[in-house]
Amino acid sequence: MSTPMNDAPAGNGTWLERVIFGNRVSVLFVFVALTIFFGYHASQIKPDASFARLIPLQHEFIQNMLANKDDLENLGNFVRIAVATKDGDIFSREYMATLAEINDEVFYLKGVDRAGLKSLWTPNVRWVEVTEEGFQGGPVIPDGYNGSPDSLDQLRENILKSGEVGRLVADDFKSTIVYAPLAEVGGGANGSINYQQFSQQLEAKIREKYETKNPNIEIHIVGFAKKVGDLIEGIQAIFYFAVITIGLTAVLLLLYTRCIIATLVPIITTLLAVVWQLGILRLLGYGLDPYSVLVPFLVFAIGVSHALQVDNQFAMQRVLGHDKLMSARLTYRYLLKPGVLALCSDAMGFLTLLMIEIDVIRDLAVSSGVGVAIIIITTLTLHPILISYMGLSNSGMRQAQKAETTGARKWRVLSFLAHPHVAPVSVMIAVLGCVVALYYQKDLKIGDLDRGAPEFHPDSRYNQDNDYIINNYSTSADVMVIMVKSAPEKCASYPVMNAMDRIQWRLQNLEGVQSSESLLSV
C-alpha cells in the first residue's frame, strides 16, 4: 500500500481529515471510551461450541436426520468410552463390577441421551439365537448374574451370540465400550450441552476416578464432545501463544524500524482492533469456538502490516521537511483511500464464506469481516493521530527511507519482466506454471487424510485413545442410516421387505461398507 509523495501539502484535505486532526484530543477521548466499553464486553466472551453448528443444517441428508430424530439415536454426536483391562480379559468379577459402575456414572452425566446408552450392562444390548422352538434371546447380562465362574461363562456365550464382538466388545476381549449418544441435536430433557464441562466430567468422574480406583483399568474416550471439550481447554493456552506472538512481533518490528515508537504504536493500535473485535462479537451474541479463536491472530497480523505502511509514509513526509502534525495528516490523506480499499477487499473475501451453509464457517466470516473493518478505524485513523504527537526517532526515519529506497530498487528489477522483449517469456512461464498446476491438482486430496483428529498432535491423549479403539474394534463408528418409509402398518409387507432386501444387498457389496443391518437381518 503506497502512494506517490508530493513536496508540499495539496490543499487542506477532506472535511473528515479536518475534523479528526482539528479535534485530536476529543477523538482520542472517544477512542479511550470505546476501548473501555468494548474491552469490558470482550472480557465477557466465552468459549462456544455446538455439534449443530458444525454440520450443514440445510443439506437434505441433515434435514432427513432432523425430521427422523425421534426415531433415531443421535448417531452423529456421541462419545465412546473404552474400558480396558491391562491384565487378563473382561470375564472377571472385578472388571464387570467396574464396568457397571462406569455405566451408571455415564447414565447420570448431563447431556447423555439415556434411552440410547449402550453397554454390556444396559438391557438394550441383547443376544438372539434360533432353535427348533423358534427365536430365543435376552439381555447379554444373564439373569441372576453374581460374578461367579458359571455366570461369567454364560456371559461369554451371550456375548458371542449377540453380534457385539468388534462393536461393543473388543476383538481380543480385553475391553468393552460404553456408547453414549448425546441429546443436543435431538433435544431431550437434558437441554443443550456445555462441552467444556462435559469433557471435564468425563475426565474427573470416569478416567481419573476409575484408573485411580483400579490400577488394572485403562479408560479411552473418543467422540465429538470429547474432541471439542479438549479444544476448548486448549483455548485457554491460546493466551500464552498470544503473548509469545506479540513479543516476537515486537522484536521483528524493532529490528525492521529501529524505532521504539514505530514498534509500540502499531502493536497498541492492532491490539485495540482485536479488543474491539471481541467486544463487538460479544454484543452480537457470538462466542469463541475452537476454530474462530484463531481469527484475532489474523486481525493482528493484518493490522501490523498496514501499520508499517503508516509509519513508512509518515517517515517519508518528515524527511521532506513537514512537521509531525502535517506529516500525520498527509499520511492519513494519502493512505486512507488505498488502505480502505485494500481492507474492504479483505473483508469482502472473508464474507464470501457466508455462502457456505455451516454456521461455524459463517461465524469465521463474520468474525474476520468485523476485525478487518475495525482496522480501518484503529490503524488508519488512531495510528496517525498518535504519531502526530509522538513522531518517530531519527534512526527510525533513516531506516524507513532506506527501506523505501531498497523497495523501489527491487520493484525496478521486477519491472524488467514486463519489458516488451521479455514479456512474451514471462507470459509463457505463467502459462506453463498454470498447465503444471492443473495437472497436479487432480491428485489434491480433500478432507482428513490421517487417523484421529487433525486438530491435535498425533501423540495427544485424544488421538492415542482413537488409535486404541481403531486397533481393537473391527466396526467403525461411522454409520449411515437409510430410512425406508411405507404406508401405516405396511413396513412388514412383501413389497417393502423386498425393496429393503435389495437395498441391503447393494449396500453390503459397496466398497468400504463393513456390515449392514435391517429389519430382515435382525
Side-chain angles (χ1 to χ4, degrees):
M1 185 174 66
S2 61
T3 58
M5 294 173 293
N6 300 326
D7 293 334
N12 295 320
T14 64
W15 66 269
L16 183 60
E17 176 189 328
R18 293 194 297 271
V19 169
I20 291 174
F21 288 92
N23 302 276
R24 289 182 294 169
V25 175
S26 299
V27 173
L28 287 175
F29 177 79
V30 171
F31 270 101
V32 171
L34 289 174
T35 300
I36 294 173
F37 174 76
F38 289 130
Y40 169 77
H41 287 283
S43 67
Q44 305 299 311
I45 199 167
K46 291 180 172 56
D48 179 31
S50 168
F51 177 73
R53 300 182 69 81
L54 286 171
I55 57 179
L57 294 177
Q58 304 305 316
H59 193 281
E60 59 177 326
F61 289 180
I62 305 300
Q63 290 289 313
N64 287 336
M65 182 188 76
L66 297 177
N68 295 281
K69 65 180 183 295
D70 294 333
D71 300 317
L72 296 170
E73 61 190 29
N74 192 351
L75 295 173
N77 193 6
F78 59 85
V79 292
R80 293 203 296 171
I81 304 169
V83 183
T85 177
K86 297 179 183 178
D87 298 320
D89 56 28
I90 64 174
F91 301 109
S92 69
R93 178 194 296 267
E94 294 77 11
Y95 176 86
M96 293 304 298
T98 300
L99 180 64
E101 294 179 23
I102 292 175
N103 180 81
D104 292 341
E105 289 276 8
V106 175
F107 182 85
Y108 288 106
L109 290 179
K110 182 179 180 181
V112 171
D113 183 0
R114 296 167 185 171
L117 182 68
K118 285 185 179 180
S119 78
L120 294 184
W121 281 98
T122 57
N124 56 359
V125 178
R126 304 176 64 85
W127 62 273
V128 178
E129 68 177 352
V130 180
T131 68
E132 62 274 8
E133 298 178 358
F135 285 96
Q136 291 185 352
V140 168
I141 299 295
D143 294 336
Y145 172 84
N146 56 14
S148 65
D150 290 340
S151 294
L152 293 171
D153 288 341
Q154 185 62 50
L155 173 64
R156 184 191 299 270
E157 291 184 19
N158 291 349
I159 288 176
L160 293 174
K161 297 174 185 176
S162 68
E164 295 294 346
V165 177
R167 291 192 291 187
L168 287 183
V169 180
D171 296 324
D172 58 1
F173 296 99
K174 293 181 70 66
S175 68
T176 65
I177 292 283
V178 178
Y179 174 85
L182 305 184
E184 182 184 47
V185 171
N190 293 318
S192 60
I193 301 170
N194 184 318
Y195 287 104
Q196 182 178 12
Q197 292 181 3
F198 187 80
S199 176
Q200 291 171 348
Q201 288 181 338
L202 289 174
E203 291 293 333
K205 294 184 177 181
I206 306 299
R207 196 195 304 267
E208 295 177 7
K209 178 178 179 179
Y210 288 98
E211 286 187 344
T212 302
K213 184 177 180 179
N214 189 342
N216 193 41
I217 291 294
E218 285 183 342
I219 304 295
H220 306 275
I221 308 172
V222 298
F224 171 81
K226 191 67 182 76
K227 180 175 75 171
V228 172
D230 289 349
L231 286 172
I232 293 175
E233 290 290 336
I235 289 178
Q236 299 174 359
I238 295 283
F239 172 78
Y240 302 105
F241 287 103
V243 172
I244 295 173
T245 300
I246 294 170
L248 291 175
T249 303
V251 171
L252 294 174
L253 282 175
L254 186 60
L255 292 175
Y256 177 77
T257 63
R258 309 296 172 85
C259 176
I260 295 295
I261 297 174
T263 299
L264 294 180
V265 173
I267 290 178
I268 290 173
T269 55
T270 49
L271 285 178
L272 288 182
V274 172
V275 171
W276 285 31
Q277 176 204 22
L278 296 177
I280 291 174
L281 291 177
R282 175 69 176 81
L283 290 171
L284 293 175
Y286 290 91
L288 279 181
D289 61 60
Y291 305 98
S292 64
V293 70
L294 300 177
V295 173
F297 289 87
L298 174 66
V299 172
F300 182 78
I302 295 175
V304 169
S305 174
H306 284 266
L308 276 177
Q309 302 295 331
V310 174
D311 284 337
N312 288 340
Q313 184 69 235
F314 178 86
M316 292 300 98
Q317 297 301 330
R318 291 285 285 152
V319 169
L320 292 175
H322 302 302
D323 60 24
K324 290 185 291 186
L325 176 58
M326 182 54 65
S327 296
R329 291 188 62 170
L330 291 173
T331 298
Y332 177 82
R333 186 181 307 173
Y334 293 148
L335 295 186
L336 181 62
K337 290 182 179 180
V340 168
L341 180 60
L343 290 170
C344 285
S345 299
D346 291 340
M348 291 302 297
F350 292 127
L351 291 176
T352 57
L353 294 174
L354 290 172
M355 299 174 62
I356 301 176
E357 295 180 345
I358 300 177
D359 287 342
V360 70
I361 302 298
R362 289 177 169 176
D363 291 352
L364 284 173
V366 173
S367 179
S368 303
V370 168
V372 171
I374 292 171
I375 292 175
I376 296 175
I377 302 174
T378 57
T379 299
L380 297 183
T381 302
L382 177 61
H383 193 154
I385 293 176
L386 291 177
I387 59 176
S388 71
Y389 285 108
M390 305 171 69
L392 296 177
S393 65
N394 291 332
S395 61
M397 289 189 290
R398 287 194 299 270
Q399 181 67 16
Q401 188 177 18
K402 179 181 177 182
E404 185 74 15
T405 303
T406 303
R409 188 180 303 116
K410 291 178 180 178
W411 281 112
R412 282 196 297 270
V413 173
L414 290 175
S415 67
F416 177 72
L417 296 174
H419 189 277
H421 297 296
V422 182
V425 177
S426 301
V427 173
M428 289 301 299
I429 293 174
V431 171
L432 179 62
C434 181
V435 171
V436 172
L438 289 174
Y439 175 77
Y440 282 104
Q441 66 86 28
K442 63 183 177 63
D443 297 322
L444 178 66
K445 302 294 189 301
I446 298 175
D448 297 338
L449 304 182
D450 299 317
R451 299 196 304 185
E455 296 89 345
F456 301 126
H457 292 294
D459 59 350
S460 67
R461 168 64 69 87
Y462 184 89
N463 281 334
Q464 289 178 350
D465 288 349
N466 187 75
D467 284 342
Y468 177 87
I469 292 177
I470 290 176
N471 294 330
N472 290 278
Y473 292 82
S474 57
T475 303
S476 170
D478 295 327
V479 179
M480 182 176 71
V481 177
I482 298 176
M483 301 293 290
V484 179
K485 292 191 175 183
S486 67
E489 306 296 333
K490 296 294 184 181
C491 63
S493 63
Y494 176 77
V496 176
M497 298 285 281
N498 183 51
M500 291 174 60
D501 184 42
R502 292 175 177 274
I503 292 173
Q504 185 176 3
W505 183 86
R506 287 185 177 275
L507 290 173
Q508 287 176 334
N509 288 276
L510 285 178
E511 182 180 357
V513 175
Q514 293 181 335
S515 63
S516 66
E517 289 185 358
S518 73
L519 183 61
L520 286 85
S521 59
V522 175

